[in-house]
Amino acid sequence: MRFTLITLAILLANISIVSAQGIGSGGTIKDDGRFAASTKQLNQFFRRFNAEESPDGNTRFYPGDSLYHNRPLRQGFIQILFDNQTSSVSKDLKTQFINTVLSDGYPQYLNFHRTGWFSEVQAEFIFKGKREKVTLILKLQPEGLGYEWVIDAVSFPPFKNLFNKPVGDEKDFLHPLSHELGFMNLRRAFQDSKMPEAFTGNAFHPDYLTLFLYEMKQNNLRFSTVNEVKFHFFQIEGWYFEVSQFNRPGFNTGWLISNLVKLNPGDKETIQQYIYDQK
């Protein structure tokens, strides 16, 4: 009986067809059901994924409540947390994912304060008078008694070709007996060469974030606006999914799963490297 009521409540929240918005008593906005169906905030995405709020969004559930982490409620919620209009995620893949998350022996939940998820922000900056697109990667870290978002990495096209380190026969080098000359031949690296990065070690990787902040401190780089925000999750063992915001008519709106990948060994690192785009 409980399963039937929960399922019915979720379905009603998604298929009720009423006027878009009305005015309640006292001039307040009266929600028509779409507001409850839409996952309006990312925090609500967490609560719905874990079954920590009621289908209408008005009641929070806590440990000890009968519906807290309730399996049928979670199943209904997760089904509506997918972008079911434009995403190419197959029905079979969704089913596999939901079965993994709702496993009786090992149910898995999202944790806001745990590692394994981060944000990708598409922004615009003015760099030396020219508008440029910038990708910022942000993550949560503990700070004092709470948490804060911090910039973890940046991908900035003007920096991409600054350090094209040559390899093989094209690479210039310092002779292994340079120490006998007191390294006076460093002139080759710092004065004669247009690619001083050629003289760095094999493990050298430019720190684009430091360069980015340096240009800001030199007043060469100025923030303009944010164009898009999405979130990447690796907290569910063996899976990766992306959450994006959809603002459109209908009920399948708000923060929804826009991409889903079942991970094979090595896939997690490959996806993270692609997102961070540091090479």
Side-chain angles (χ1 to χ4, degrees), residues 127 130 132-134 155-162 208 221:
F127 181 52
K130 181 181 178 182
E132 298 281 359
K133 295 185 182 300
V134 178
S155 178
F156 189 44
F159 291 166
K160 283 297 183 180
N161 295 319
L162 282 179
Y208 294 122
L221 192 61

Side-chain angles (χ1 to χ4, degrees), residues 58 74 79 113 172 197 229:
N58 292 329
R74 288 192 74 198
Q79 288 173 344
H113 297 116
D172 206 350
E197 63 269 27
V229 177

